[in-house]
Amino acid sequence: MTFARHDPISDLDTLPRMPAWVTSARAETLEDLAFLSGAALNHLHLVLGREEVTQALLRDRLALRAAEACVTFSGRPEREAELRDAVHLLRPGDLPGPAGEVCLAWRRAVERPMSFKTLGRALPTLEPGQIATWLDAGQGAPVNRAARVLEAVLIEAPRMETTALILADGALAQALGWEHLVPLLAAGLKRADLRKHGDDLRLACHRALVSSAVEAVRQAADLARRAAHLKAVAPKLRAKGAGDAVEMFLTRDAVAPSALPLLDRAARRLCDRLVELGAVRELTGRDTFRLYGV
């Protein structure tokens, strides 16, 4: 695999920025918030269509954020660092634990194009018919559709917050014509919002999507810059398998050296080299069992 040797980082200035009036407006009515969430989602749609945006990496990073929110809703203490460990340090035969299961569900929901099969893989305890029934509860405009799916699931299964939010984001992606599910609702909602109904829940969803779309656009720009730098330094890497390793960093929130297509010592040396070049970061702060990411 080869990478272009020009410096693409300056090209990222062309990424469209979220309009200031979207982030600064203080709307409280359903009508005003619907207008703002529509503007924010439209802007995110434009950003997701840009070639510079590392979409798989962005979705994986947003999936981690959504998983952290869901774990918090359930009253568990695990946060980002523990969730990464639960997923990326699993050995064959290990169980990920409840928090790890939540994280894996979100990652499975985003790694393949949206379909009933993808949702079934993310939510293996659900029958396909149940998934279809809950998705069919969503009607109307995209955000209303997502809110109705969220409400339908939580009325029948109040403790299944992760399932409800994955299906709601799935309904939103379908309505917007997105190829992949993009985790947005969970990180923008509060625990109390999940007990709301009707217009109150729709209001909460509109507000959540404004804040989450703004954050997703910010992360998209940040990851695009980091990915451009990684691609720029890739030709300096001499290790056999370095190209495949770079591709893994460009699609995953975190990578353990043992997951790279190199021998253990070579994998650790490659990670250290990438840190020296400022292309990836060590995410754990530990001396052992380290994880790395763009």
Side-chain angles (χ1 to χ4, degrees), residues 2 7 12 16 22 40 49 112 116 165 199 214 218 229 253 258 274 283:
T2 60
D7 181 6
L12 301 178
V22 173
R112 298 182 182 183
F116 283 113
L165 288 160
D199 284 349
V214 168
R218 186 199 67 76
H229 181 54
D253 163 69
S258 59
L274 288 170
L283 300 172

Side-chain angles (χ1 to χ4, degrees), residues 113-123 127-136 167 174:
M114 257 289 297
S115 67
F116 283 113
K117 186 175 181 180
T118 295
L119 293 174
R121 186 168 176 269
L123 304 168
E127 294 291 333
Q130 182 64 76
I131 292 175
T133 297
W134 277 333
L135 284 179
D136 286 345
L167 293 180
Q174 282 184 331

Side-chain angles (χ1 to χ4, degrees), residues 149-220:
V149 170
L150 182 62
E151 184 172 9
V153 178
L154 291 177
I155 285 174
E156 288 192 46
R159 297 174 65 88
M160 293 175 63
E161 296 96 342
T162 298
T163 296
L165 288 160
I166 287 176
L167 293 180
D169 273 330
L172 182 68
Q174 282 184 331
L176 293 171
W178 289 350
E179 184 178 0
H180 288 81
L181 184 154
V182 179
L184 293 173
L185 280 166
L189 290 169
K190 300 179 176 62
R191 188 175 186 178
D193 291 331
L194 301 180
R195 298 192 291 272
K196 294 177 179 177
H197 301 281
D199 284 349
D200 289 338
L201 179 58
R202 284 192 281 278
L203 191 75
C205 287
H206 282 297
R207 185 179 289 112
L209 287 168
V210 173
S211 63
S212 288
V214 168
E215 174 60 17
V217 168
R218 186 199 67 76
Q219 285 206 33

Side-chain angles (χ1 to χ4, degrees), residues 14-35:
T14 63
L15 278 178
R17 298 181 181 180
M18 184 73 73
W21 56 265
V22 173
T23 59
S24 62
R26 298 193 177 278
E28 294 298 331
T29 68
L30 182 57
E31 181 181 26
D32 288 344
L33 274 167
F35 177 76

Side-chain angles (χ1 to χ4, degrees), residues 19-87:
W21 56 265
V22 173
T23 59
S24 62
R26 298 193 177 278
E28 294 298 331
T29 68
L30 182 57
E31 181 181 26
D32 288 344
L33 274 167
F35 177 76
L36 288 178
S37 69
L41 287 169
N42 180 66
H43 186 83
L44 176 59
H45 179 83
L46 294 175
V47 169
L48 292 176
R50 298 297 292 261
E51 185 178 356
E52 309 96 305
V53 175
T54 51
Q55 294 197 32
L57 176 57
L58 175 64
R59 291 195 305 271
D60 204 33
R61 186 69 49 90
L62 293 175
L64 177 66
R65 192 165 176 252
E68 184 178 38
C70 289
V71 168
T72 301
F73 292 151
S74 70
R76 297 191 62 85
E78 292 89 347
R79 294 299 177 263
E80 184 179 279
E82 291 86 0
L83 291 173
R84 281 188 174 126
D85 284 355
V87 169

Side-chain angles (χ1 to χ4, degrees), residues 4 6-10 12 52 54 222-234 250 294:
H6 74 288
D7 181 6
I9 297 174
S10 60
L12 301 178
E52 309 96 305
T54 51
D222 179 57
L223 291 175
R225 284 190 292 270
R226 294 177 182 276
H229 181 54
L230 175 56
K231 292 176 183 178
V233 305
L250 290 172
V294 171

